[in-house]
Amino acid sequence: MAKTKVNFGVIGAGGIARRKTIPGMIKAKNCKLVAVMDPVGIDQIATQFKVPKAYATEQELLADPDVEAVYIASPANVHAGQIKMAAKAGKHVLCEKPLTLNVKQAKEAVEVCRRNKVFLQEGYMMKFHGAHVKIKELIEEGRLGKIVYMRAQLSGWYPKMEGAWRQDPKQGGGGALIDMATHLYDLLEFFAGPIRRVTALTGNLVQDYKSEDAATTMLEFKSGAQATVDSFFCIPDEASRTRLEIYGSEGAIYTEGTIGQSTRGKMEGIFGLGTAGYDAAQDKDVARKFQKITFKPINPYTAECSYFADCILQGRRPKLNDGKSAIHVMTVTEKAYSSYKMKSILKV
């Protein structure tokens, strides 16, 4: 009988893993959680999710012969080392974003996985959201015509906290840009193809820590489409609607609440335009007949884990968020940071 489940171990089982990914993973029919590791509170985490094995170090978990693949959700500054350890132990790797702190580390991580013949996937899960899957379908059907402009928003309130690794660039690689804007770089490329040029503004506007709490990025895609991405650690959660806007030559799509860690949200669109004559009055008071667009509610964490497990079971390397993609997103990230320092628009 063919194998139907992949045995997973989780490295860094607190934080996002405990809140979102583990609950999503255990719902995936092709995933089995057999071990968890975290230096703090691991027994409670194991009890919470009824996991048979709890470890205090990644070395112990990686030595477990029952573990076939690992999900890494530790602070970003230890990702590179843990990916190398996992690959050398023969474990497939699903690693949270950012994959590493820089392009050099990303290339090394991808290469060690290639040499040890294990699969690598980065944890950009938003393209698995049901609304975003539906948008991709509508774009491919030509419902929007040529994509010309997109805007994506992911902001929230992240005050100073003792020991928060995202607030220290030595541990997280940066702040709002690398932590949240990169999610949107990845998502918008899912819709419009690869990014060609980038420029960004970053800074600290409210929060008192070393990482930036503000980032606005302008993007140009190889298709010619343009986009803006705004990500802030200094906007109250209740004030940010996490909107996504996609404009084409024949229509538009708006979503609210689909970006982030959610399963649901709402979406509307307008299609079949782009054939009218020129409106010389330009009063902009025309009736806009947007229609509600329904989509299947999909837990993006469940779908992400299930996709990776399917790749392992079928022996095919991931096409979504693979090593090549991880290096590319990190390249865009480095260029975005550099563009602000250089006050320039940079080619990717």
Side-chain angles (χ1 to χ4, degrees):
M1 182 181 294
K3 186 175 173 57
T4 59
K5 291 189 177 185
V6 174
N7 290 345
F8 275 86
V10 174
I11 295 175
I16 189 66
R18 189 174 189 177
R19 292 193 307 272
K20 294 290 183 177
T21 312
I22 292 176
M25 179 185 290
I26 60 181
K27 292 179 182 177
K29 295 180 179 179
N30 56 0
C31 298
K32 183 179 180 181
L33 182 58
V34 298
V36 288
M37 170 269 153
D38 201 275
V40 179
I42 193 59
D43 290 331
Q44 293 91 331
I45 296 172
T47 299
Q48 178 183 351
F49 296 109
K50 300 178 181 178
V51 183
K53 300 177 183 180
Y55 298 111
T57 68
E58 57 267 60
Q59 289 88 347
E60 292 175 292
L61 184 142
L62 293 172
D64 188 333
D66 290 336
V67 174
E68 299 171 287
V70 294
Y71 165 64
I72 297 174
S74 48
N77 63 315
V78 296
H79 283 182
Q82 291 175 340
I83 291 170
K84 292 176 183 178
M85 290 168 59
K88 290 175 181 179
K91 316 295 186 184
H92 300 288
V93 180
L94 170 60
C95 182
E96 262 306 334
K97 40 60 61 182
L99 189 75
T100 56
L101 295 182
N102 53 57
V103 172
K104 180 177 182 293
Q105 288 183 350
K107 289 180 177 178
E108 291 172 354
V110 170
E111 175 59 20
V112 74
C113 288
R114 185 196 66 79
R115 285 201 313 266
N116 288 277
K117 300 180 180 179
V118 298
F119 294 165
L120 173 66
Q121 180 178 311
E122 189 174 18
Y124 284 113
M125 84 300 172
M126 289 188 196
K127 60 168 62 73
F128 294 96
H129 190 288
H132 304 153
V133 172
K134 182 66 175 180
I135 291 171
K136 178 73 168 178
E137 293 174 358
L138 292 169
I139 290 173
E140 291 183 343
E141 290 170 4
R143 299 290 300 281
L144 292 180
K146 179 178 176 61
I147 302 300
V148 295
Y149 175 70
M150 299 176 288
R151 174 181 177 243
Q153 175 191 63
L154 179 59
S155 293
W157 188 254
Y158 192 37
K160 189 173 184 178
M161 293 182 288
E162 189 68 30
W165 59 267
R166 290 178 178 85
Q167 297 176 3
D168 180 358
K170 291 183 179 179
Q171 296 185 67
L177 191 150
I178 196 170
D179 189 59
M180 297 197 299
T182 56
H183 263 300
L184 306 180
Y185 301 165
D186 178 74
L187 181 61
L188 295 184
E189 285 197 320
F190 182 55
F191 299 141
I195 293 167
R196 176 167 60 192
R197 295 198 298 168
V198 59
T199 188
L201 295 172
T202 67
N204 289 79
L205 302 182
V206 177
Q207 312 296 3
D208 181 23
Y209 42 69
K210 294 179 180 179
S211 296
E212 77 279 355
D213 70 358
T216 302
T217 312
M218 292 184 64
L219 302 167
E220 181 186 57
F221 297 77
K222 286 186 177 180
S223 66
Q226 300 172 12
T228 53
V229 166
D230 47 292
S231 294
F232 292 79
F233 281 162
C234 54
I235 295 177
D237 293 282
E238 296 85 350
S240 177
R241 294 190 173 183
T242 62
R243 285 175 169 160
L244 171 65
E245 304 171 16
I246 304 175
Y247 299 92
S249 59
E250 297 179 21
I253 294 173
Y254 298 157
T255 81
E256 191 170 299
T258 66
I259 289 176
Q261 300 174 3
S262 68
T263 297
R264 299 182 182 274
K266 56 185 179 181
M267 178 163 62
E268 61 179 3
I270 188 167
F271 309 100
L273 306 176
T275 57
Y278 174 62
D279 177 11
Q282 289 291 294
D283 293 327
K284 299 302 181 186
D285 57 356
V286 296
R288 293 173 174 83
K289 298 180 180 179
F290 278 82
Q291 63 188 57
K292 180 181 178 181
I293 303 174
T294 60
F295 57 89
K296 184 179 179 181
I298 298 171
N299 183 318
Y301 295 95
T302 300
E304 172 187 57
C305 294
S306 182
Y307 172 80
F308 188 54
D310 269 344
C311 290
I312 296 169
L313 291 169
Q314 296 172 20
R316 55 178 173 82
R317 293 190 176 278
K319 291 184 178 180
L320 297 177
N321 302 332
D322 62 357
K324 182 179 179 181
S325 170
I327 293 170
H328 171 72
V329 173
M330 184 55 65
T331 300
V332 175
T333 303
E334 285 194 356
K335 295 282 188 177
Y337 278 118
S338 295
S339 74
Y340 180 59
K341 294 177 182 177
M342 299 171 65
K343 303 296 184 286
S344 180
I345 300 173
L346 299 182
K347 292 183 179 180
V348 175

